[in-house]
Amino acid sequence: MNHDAYPDNYIREILNAVKSIAMVGASPVNVRPSYFAFKYLAQRGYDMIPVNPGHVGKSLLGKPFVASLADIGRPIDMIDIFRNSSHIMPVVDEALKLSPLPKVIWMQLGARDDLAAARAEAAGLKVVMNRCPKIEYGRLSSEISWMGVNSRTLSSKRAPIPTQGMRLSLNRTSVGGGETAASDRAAKNKSELT
């Protein structure tokens, strides 16, 4: 898989197939990006599981925090890693010890670890790096266009405003693919700083 540019069908297939998402690095602080992504995905009908050892005993939108992936105790379809790139390999190693294995490892914007991705792919998992499932879902459903953002999807019909737990269709025709010059530039600039 070329992790510099993902075909829309690859992202679409993942977001349509997964039902449960463990978000490693989730935060109950309502101004953090992980909070927004968690809330958005939960509102779209995904079964969200917050993973953060620093917040055990608390809950996020009614979902109790767990300390680790092993503490979830049930199958997980996708692991969304909201951690710095230097913390990705330990999360992937923990994910590869789960039974059954998750289907997807997703690394948030600015997060990339090619060695961890190769290890996950060798075990049969799909991997996405430097992308946000919230943004990709909004783009592929054309929901993001309600805010004036060009979603690069074509349709003569506006996507419906979702109600709580409603999944939008991600099958709109896209132009240009999922790669964006801005996100790639941001990741490159961030990696040059570290």
Side-chain angles (χ1 to χ4, degrees), residues 92 95-97 101-103 116-127:
V92 170
L96 294 177
K97 292 176 186 169
L101 288 174
K103 298 172 188 161
R119 188 173 292 173
E121 288 174 328
L125 282 65
K126 292 184 177 184
V127 176

Side-chain angles (χ1 to χ4, degrees), residues 62-109:
K63 306 281 188 166
F65 276 91
V66 296
S68 68
L69 295 173
D71 293 337
I72 294 171
R74 61 184 170 99
I76 309 160
D77 293 329
M78 182 169 106
I79 297 171
D80 182 10
I81 305 173
F82 239 108
R83 299 290 317 268
N84 184 301
S85 295
S86 63
H87 298 282
I88 290 172
M89 186 61 84
V91 175
V92 170
D93 287 340
E94 183 182 4
L96 294 177
K97 292 176 186 169
L98 297 174
S99 180
L101 288 174
K103 298 172 188 161
V104 180
I105 298 288
W106 191 300
M107 301 172 209
Q108 279 290 343
L109 287 172

Side-chain angles (χ1 to χ4, degrees), residues 59-185:
S59 65
L60 178 53
L61 305 174
K63 306 281 188 166
F65 276 91
V66 296
S68 68
L69 295 173
D71 293 337
I72 294 171
R74 61 184 170 99
I76 309 160
D77 293 329
M78 182 169 106
I79 297 171
D80 182 10
I81 305 173
F82 239 108
R83 299 290 317 268
N84 184 301
S85 295
S86 63
H87 298 282
I88 290 172
M89 186 61 84
V91 175
V92 170
D93 287 340
E94 183 182 4
L96 294 177
K97 292 176 186 169
L98 297 174
S99 180
L101 288 174
K103 298 172 188 161
V104 180
I105 298 288
W106 191 300
M107 301 172 209
Q108 279 290 343
L109 287 172
R112 183 176 182 127
D113 185 327
D114 290 294
L115 184 57
R119 188 173 292 173
E121 288 174 328
L125 282 65
K126 292 184 177 184
V127 176
V128 177
M129 296 191 287
N130 189 31
R131 296 287 184 270
C132 175
K134 173 189 181 292
I135 292 170
E136 295 300 318
Y137 187 100
R139 184 180 65 78
L140 292 172
S141 69
S142 295
E143 182 181 22
I144 202 167
S145 66
W146 298 334
M147 295 173 276
V149 176
N150 181 0
S151 66
R152 295 186 316 272
T153 56
L154 302 175
S155 177
S156 61
K157 214 173 172 185
R158 188 175 205 155
I161 296 175
T163 58
Q164 183 70 26
M166 175 183 172
R167 289 245 191 143
L168 298 172
S169 170
L170 302 178
N171 295 324
R172 294 172 176 260
T173 304
S174 308
V175 238
E179 67 277 358
T180 62
S183 67
D184 294 339
R185 238 186 349 269

Side-chain angles (χ1 to χ4, degrees), residues 49-61:
I49 304 156
V51 182
N52 190 326
H55 295 293
V56 171
K58 299 177 187 173
S59 65
L60 178 53
L61 305 174

